[in-house]
Amino acid sequence: MKFLQKLEEASKKNKSLLCVGLDPDLSKIPRNFRDKLDPIFEFNKNIINQTKDYVCAYKPNAAFYEALGNPGTESLKRTIEYVKVFGIPVILDAKRGDIGNSSAAYAKAAFDVLRADAITVSPYMGKDSVQPFLDYRDKGVFVLCLTSNEGSRDFQAFMYMKVAEAVSKWNNNGNCGLVVGATRPEQLKEISAVSGDMPILIPGVGAQQGDLEAVVKNGGPRPIINSSRGIIYDKDPHRAAKELRDRINELLSS
Ligand code: OMP
């Protein structure tokens, strides 16, 4: 099934625009998981079991798994396979992008080996660095447009509209999306005005204190609103995900 179709089905079924970020940190996960054979997978599995009825997607950030070496990669693979059981799409947050030949290998790793449904990529090296990902027509490709961190003012501030317009043109297979931080609601409005019906992945609510109300208002027709630490480290992830899903829906209808 195509990424976008899978996203829409999960979104419809769970009445949700919420994406939960699976960014597990061994030093922060509860003690009872640390004694298990695969602590990261067991922690994720518990989060998935508690939140799977309230999300439209999951977004594991590759850094947290790669930092653990081969066992981390195995935990990531198992996590992706586990999410698949519920028909929910997985966006691998890897922010890749290199010369075409190397990007092709990154795309193979994400889509053929890890079997993610979508990936985040950087546009900095230009279209040929993103093309190998776009060639996987059934997979989603989220291009960084304006990120949530302070440093996005260094370079991205001068070119985010150029990125949004370029990616709209690269979208021949209908599999592109953009990434815009929830901490940049005014720019999100400008971006969604030119990005048509491309989905916009919006991280930065919760721990980074992005403006949820403005994000829902300015996020275009297909916002995907991500929270990672705000959900996974809550003492009750089930309640945290449900509350955030419901709050988004409330804002949508107000
Ligand atoms: P929390 O701040 O814990 O909700 O995590 C946010 C997640 O989204 C992390 O995995 C970040 O790496 C990622 N992210 C941002 O925080 N800001 C961005 O602009 C883009 C991303 C991303 O591409 O997902």
Side-chain angles (χ1 to χ4, degrees):
M1 197 193 295
K2 279 185 188 257
F3 165 72
L4 210 53
Q5 196 185 346
K6 203 168 170 181
L7 177 72
E8 291 201 328
E9 283 188 12
S11 176
K12 204 167 150 197
K13 177 168 175 274
N14 288 341
K15 299 185 182 56
S16 178
L17 299 175
L18 173 65
C19 172
V20 168
L22 299 171
D23 297 356
D25 177 336
L26 267 183
S27 66
K28 288 190 193 153
I29 70 176
R31 205 161 282 282
N32 56 313
F33 293 106
R34 287 187 228 160
D35 306 330
K36 311 259 184 200
L37 208 58
D38 185 347
I40 295 293
F41 172 68
E42 297 298 337
F43 174 75
N44 285 347
K45 186 176 162 191
N46 177 54
I47 297 288
I48 294 159
N49 288 343
Q50 293 199 50
T51 59
K52 65 180 169 38
D53 296 329
Y54 307 117
V55 302
C56 65
Y58 286 103
K59 183 177 74 68
N61 184 313
F64 294 89
Y65 303 87
E66 289 172 10
L68 300 171
N70 288 341
T73 305
E74 268 317 299
S75 307
L76 176 57
K77 265 176 104 167
R78 290 183 75 194
T79 299
I80 293 174
E81 289 309 311
Y82 190 69
V83 172
K84 278 188 192 293
V85 172
F86 305 104
I88 296 167
V90 175
I91 303 168
L92 178 68
D93 184 7
K95 300 182 179 67
R96 301 296 193 217
D98 204 324
I99 61 162
N101 186 48
S102 305
S103 271
Y106 275 138
K108 191 171 180 338
F111 298 143
D112 296 338
V113 178
L114 290 171
R115 303 212 314 135
D117 299 291
I119 189 167
T120 58
V121 301
S122 163
Y124 197 67
M125 290 179 70
K127 189 180 181 196
D128 58 345
S129 72
V130 175
Q131 192 62 49
F133 300 96
L134 300 177
D135 289 342
Y136 281 78
R137 307 171 76 96
D138 293 348
K139 304 290 186 178
V141 183
F142 286 86
V143 183
L144 298 182
C145 185
L146 184 62
T147 54
S148 61
N149 57 319
E150 266 309 302
S152 69
R153 297 182 205 280
D154 293 346
F155 308 118
Q156 296 170 41
F158 310 103
M159 51 193 200
Y160 65 89
M161 286 307 286
K162 217 175 152 110
V163 172
E165 282 156 12
V167 177
S168 306
K169 293 191 189 122
W170 299 348
N171 196 20
N172 294 328
N173 295 337
N175 60 345
C176 291
L178 294 171
V179 183
V180 181
T183 52
R184 304 276 180 268
E186 285 314 311
Q187 294 89 336
L188 176 63
K189 191 172 179 179
E190 281 177 73
I191 293 164
S192 62
V194 301
S195 61
D197 61 0
M198 276 194 290
I200 305 183
L201 174 64
I202 309 171
V205 301
Q208 297 177 55
Q209 299 177 334
D211 182 343
L212 183 65
E213 194 170 341
V215 157
V216 173
K217 196 165 137 220
N218 298 345
R222 280 181 172 145
I224 303 171
I225 301 171
N226 181 85
S227 176
S228 306
R229 286 166 293 178
I231 305 283
I232 66 172
Y233 299 128
D234 192 287
K235 60 182 186 314
D236 186 351
H238 176 268
R239 184 196 48 82
K242 183 177 186 307
E243 275 181 14
L244 185 51
R245 190 260 331 236
D246 292 348
R247 178 72 187 131
I248 293 168
N249 289 343
E250 224 176 83
L251 289 168
L252 265 182
S253 60
S254 68

